[in-house]
Amino acid sequence: MVGEVEEIGKHWWLFVVLGLVCLVTGILAIVWPGLTLLTLGIFAGIYLLVTAILEILDALFGEPGGRALSAILGIVSLIAGLVFLRRPGESLLAIVMVAGIFLIAEGVIRIVRAFGSTGRRWVGVVAGLIDAVVGIVILSCPRSAW
């Protein structure tokens, strides 16, 4: 433990650089909010497409018990990612709605998969509950989410 603290102390300047990058990014987000939202929409779309690919691969090559759920989550992720990339700046409300639906679907699927897995089931259940609750909150008041 002490060795790790000393190692971090040797590279203190990395934390300063990280802080400056975060500060500049925050200022740019305030100065150009439209461009920031467009960029976030594109990044979210790319993330969802990568998630879709990984879930589809898990459906093809993963454990037999969770293949159908992985396939469903992969298809939902693919559709959500395409919506995000198709209209990242034009329809923020649609992006928020798709994100809410995606989070609810992902949460339910995580909970179902957690009961079928071995080991720490509670981690999957908690993660699924968090996803589902966030999705429900987003869908209940979508205009306040953006």
Side-chain angles (χ1 to χ4, degrees), residues 66-120:
R67 287 185 179 177
L69 294 175
S70 290
I72 292 169
L73 188 57
I75 291 169
V76 171
S77 298
L78 180 66
I79 292 168
L82 292 175
V83 169
F84 271 59
L85 290 177
R86 178 95 168 116
R87 301 191 182 273
E90 292 176 349
S91 60
L92 293 177
L93 184 59
I95 288 174
V96 169
M97 298 297 286
V98 167
I101 293 167
F102 171 77
L103 285 169
I104 291 171
E106 183 180 37
V108 169
I109 289 172
R110 280 183 190 241
I111 292 168
V112 171
R113 289 178 77 183
F115 285 112
S117 69
T118 58
R120 297 183 176 147

Side-chain angles (χ1 to χ4, degrees), residues 5-145:
V5 173
E6 291 174 1
E7 189 67 28
I8 291 172
K10 290 179 186 175
H11 303 290
W12 62 269
W13 58 274
L14 288 172
F15 292 102
V16 173
V17 171
L18 178 63
L20 290 174
V21 167
C22 290
L23 181 67
V24 170
T25 303
I27 291 170
L28 292 176
I30 292 170
V31 173
W32 291 304
L35 182 62
T36 301
L37 291 174
L38 178 70
T39 304
L40 287 174
I42 291 171
F43 281 146
I46 292 169
Y47 168 78
L48 287 169
L49 289 179
V50 170
T51 300
I53 292 168
L54 294 175
E55 287 295 334
I56 291 170
L57 286 174
D58 187 44
L60 294 174
F61 305 110
E63 295 179 16
R67 287 185 179 177
L69 294 175
S70 290
I72 292 169
L73 188 57
I75 291 169
V76 171
S77 298
L78 180 66
I79 292 168
L82 292 175
V83 169
F84 271 59
L85 290 177
R86 178 95 168 116
R87 301 191 182 273
E90 292 176 349
S91 60
L92 293 177
L93 184 59
I95 288 174
V96 169
M97 298 297 286
V98 167
I101 293 167
F102 171 77
L103 285 169
I104 291 171
E106 183 180 37
V108 169
I109 289 172
R110 280 183 190 241
I111 292 168
V112 171
R113 289 178 77 183
F115 285 112
S117 69
T118 58
R120 297 183 176 147
R121 293 181 183 176
W122 66 271
V123 174
V125 172
V126 169
L129 284 173
I130 290 171
D131 285 342
V133 167
V134 170
I136 290 168
V137 168
I138 288 173
L139 290 180
S140 67
C141 49
R143 294 207 180 265
S144 65

